Amino acid sequence: GESVGLHLPTLSVQEGDNSIINCAYSNSASDYFIWYKQESGKGPQFIIDIRSNMDKRQGQRVTVLLNKTVKHLSLQIAATQPGDSAVYFCADLCSSASKIIFGSGTRLSIRP
Amino acid sequence: DAMVIQNPRYQVTQFGKPVTLSCSQTLNHNVMYWYQQKSSQAPKLLFHYYDKDFNNEADTPDNFQSRRPNTSFCFLDIRSPGLGDAAMYLCATSTRTSGGETQYFGPGTRLLVL
């Protein structure tokens, strides 16, 4: 992933609707991808991960989709709740480089 | 129980005065990371240790150093803090398996440079 600048894009979603957060990565050698949630004043928290040999993985209320052709990752949150308000980051790992790099974040805000 | 502990949570230092941030872990993970995070930006990797092997990012300033005396502890030393070094500093640990890697982050230390 690449950090792309100073201004976080914001996604505003009605409570109860589904949220889709997108992320592009640049390293075609990356083989492991992670989504993190970061609440204000806290460290990032692991949400879900996916390996490059998969294109979809589901967790509790969350789904990650991976499109390696266009180097795109998305996080879907079902039935968005107020507690989902946070900044969401994607990150990728290239096993040969052995380090996790964060991509740009998206701020998710929930409308009541 | 806290698994990745960072002390202090808030640190104030003076311009040019050396400062050390601490991280400890109870997970016995072999990898430890230091990230710098500025407001509204993604965490930026400064360096990481794989066991005792130190890996510095190419764009990490020389002003930043790290020590890992044992598995549990890792320190970030800022030799001469500048105003631009004010940020949240995040420590993370991970263990690598064939199934992937999960990072556990500490709560961060917010550094203020006066």
Side-chain angles (χ1 to χ4, degrees), chain B residues 1 10 14 39 43 46 48 65 75 104:
Chain B
D1 289 336
Y10 299 91
Q14 292 178 333
S39 181
L46 296 173
H48 75 281
Q65 304 286 320
F75 301 98
Y104 295 84

Side-chain angles (χ1 to χ4, degrees), chain B:
Chain B
D1 289 336
M3 295 183 290
V4 182
I5 303 157
Q6 289 189 247
N7 285 309
R9 294 293 309 277
Y10 299 91
Q11 176 73 57
V12 181
T13 191
Q14 292 178 333
F15 183 93
K17 185 175 180 182
V19 66
T20 294
L21 308 183
S22 301
C23 178
S24 63
Q25 56 143 330
T26 59
L27 298 162
N28 203 36
H29 284 171
N30 53 356
V31 190
M32 293 188 78
Y33 300 81
W34 278 105
Y35 290 86
Q36 179 194 64
Q37 187 177 26
K38 297 189 176 180
S39 181
S40 296
Q41 294 186 29
K44 177 182 179 297
L45 182 63
L46 296 173
F47 22 61
H48 75 281
Y49 276 93
Y50 192 108
D51 292 324
K52 285 192 175 295
D53 293 335
F54 178 70
N55 299 273
N56 196 38
E57 290 301 296
D59 58 354
T60 298
D62 291 340
N63 197 26
F64 291 85
Q65 304 286 320
S66 186
R67 296 171 283 135
R68 190 179 186 186
N70 53 53
T71 300
S72 300
F73 287 88
C74 195
F75 301 98
L76 171 61
D77 300 310
I78 308 176
R79 293 192 296 189
S80 182
L83 298 179
D85 296 327
M88 174 76 86
Y89 289 88
L90 296 163
C91 174
T93 74
S94 72
T95 188
R96 292 178 182 164
T97 69
S98 58
E101 173 166 351
T102 300
Q103 279 183 317
Y104 295 84
F105 280 84
T109 293
R110 186 167 293 281
L111 179 68
L112 180 62
V113 182
L114 301 178

Side-chain angles (χ1 to χ4, degrees), chain A residues 59-95:
Chain A
Q60 188 174 14
R61 272 201 318 119
V62 294
T63 301
V64 55
L65 299 178
L66 175 63
N67 185 331
K68 294 181 288 295
T69 303
V70 295
K71 297 202 280 289
H72 183 268
L73 198 64
S74 70
L75 176 70
Q76 300 177 7
I77 304 173
T80 311
Q81 303 169 358
D84 296 327
S85 291
V87 177
Y88 289 81
F89 292 101
C90 64
D92 62 276
L93 169 70
C94 173
S95 298

